[in-house]
Amino acid sequence: MNQAKRQMSVDMSYEEDTKKLRTSNEDKFINCFENLSNELFYEIFDYLDGRDIFYGFSNLNSHFESLIMSSRLLLKIHDYTSCKQSFEHDYQRIILPNKHRIFSLHLLNGSQLIRYSTFHTFDSSFYRLESLILHGIKFNEIISFLPNLTNLPRLFSLNIHLDDVLDDSNRIYHLIFRLPMLKYNKLSVNKIILQDSISSISNEHFSSIKQLVINYPCTLYNLYNILSYTSKLHHLTCEPLFSINENISREIPLKLFNLTYCSISQCYLKFNEFEIFIKQISSQLRILHFKPCSDIFYLDADRWQQLILQYMPYLHTFQFKYYDGISGHFEIQSYHSFLNRFISPFWIERQWLLDIQIDLNHWPPVEIIFSIQPKRKQWNELLISYERNNVTFNQITDVNLSDQEYMHILNSMSQLTVRNCRFIQYDQWFIDCIHFISSLAEITCLYIEFQYFSIDIIIQFLYRLPHLNSLTIVIMFSNQKIQLTEEQINMIHTISNMNQIIKMNIEQIFELNQIDILINLCPRMKYLNVQCKNYIDLEYIIRLILMKKNSNLYFLCFSIPNADERMVKRLQTMIDLKELLVNYTIQHCHNKIYLQRQKY
């Protein structure tokens, strides 16, 4: 029994010592945390919601109480709950007492704020408020609330989301344009009544807004009306743009001398209407993004060229997508003849390149997307990144790319993008599809996304697209190691003698022998970019490539997680021991390893 008491005494003593030690460490941690500078605390608080700061720090001690009550601390209050009791508590305890320190106020249920503001005026006492986002607002509520904001001296950003019907947008913009310091405005609407015959905005006030987002279906007439009061506008984003009354062709004078960015998600205007509009807004335009609908004349490259040269001299980023539905047989239409003009020198020099995209997972009907993309996403970005990180060809080796070779990599003319290719073997429908695409334009780049790798499909693409010089392959799911038939081997030999591919980008691959097949298929390849899962795969691929003694392939890039100098040294040792290369350079930059060898 005495032994048991001694044991209990020892255990209790140990627990007490442990508790004292833990308490001592916690006190030490708290003391160390409190000893951080006030400036550092303010930086930490800048990442936290204002409510979390109050609920987490207000009752700790006088030091933190002083910090969170300081006028230096600006509060960001983002209330994403629609609970009435929760908002009422926060409004009384946090918002009202600290309204002079609120920097941003984002509310999921803005109607609650409007109802409380009838009892507690939302006025200039919120003099530090710069950003206000209100969701779930009714039309009549926002009309009554907006006049309260005119006295806010720092309200730069206003985002309103109506869950009501908008039957007259000008009533809202009439009040928004009265806000003297506003720079950004976004108006989103769940429901809208489209009409052109509405009253004009009062000309008493011209807006200071520089960025405008119209996040609801808008008519061209309404857009003209809005833009006539935003002379300082820099960025314009408009959701579906319509022209209800086709007789509205008048040109309302616009003075948008600062507009550099324009984006229209869905443009339902005829091309001639769009031309009238763009001529008035485009004198300083740098960036144009939009998706035209239902007018084949948008595919007229020569008409675009003339419009850009005369009215958009500073345009450097041009991007649009045109959706074309194909039902039944693939038949060339008259407007398809316009497409080849998008690969003329005018478009090549600006790096605005034609991309024809088809999703083989959705047929019939097939939706083909004709788009102009600002630049290629494979080899040009790879080489530009290579140079930006001071890893230039001239620096790393005496054997470098000439200017002509470098531009040849960048200046691919047109690309075919194939999504969700789930075919393992081709059929007549598939052959007709490729033949149709090849008839539209001279395709030089192929980006194909396989569900499962198929050598038969690759062969058909290469055979029917004879101008290809670039190939990108993505394989979504693994299939078993490919066992080639004698017929496939013969086809590979035939295709390898005729195809002109010099660039290959393998973004995802599961079976390593697929790389072996692809390299054999493209013996003229000079540049190879491969994503590797691990170092073992990387070493295998490099050994496989170099043992082929391909005299053309001399620039290789491998994307691999955790690439470092030690990995480079291991590869260099392997290459030297096996005497795979003599004159070469290998090094890493971020998650990429670059290998370049001398051309023979």
Side-chain angles (χ1 to χ4, degrees), residues 556-586:
L556 301 96
C557 175
F558 303 95
S559 299
I560 182 170
N562 304 317
D564 55 20
E565 195 63 30
R566 183 172 55 181
M567 194 177 294
V568 171
K569 293 293 184 183
R570 290 177 63 185
L571 290 172
Q572 191 170 15
T573 300
M574 183 270 293
I575 293 172
D576 292 342
L577 286 176
K578 296 185 177 295
E579 298 182 349
L580 298 176
L581 284 177
V582 178
N583 296 321
Y584 71 96
T585 299
I586 181 172

Side-chain angles (χ1 to χ4, degrees), residues 381-402:
E381 290 186 356
L382 171 65
L383 297 180
I384 290 171
S385 172
Y386 194 67
E387 292 193 336
R388 282 179 178 173
N389 290 284
N390 294 321
V391 187
T392 63
F393 294 101
N394 290 330
Q395 289 174 330
I396 66 174
T397 179
D398 292 334
V399 181
N400 54 69
L401 291 177
S402 67

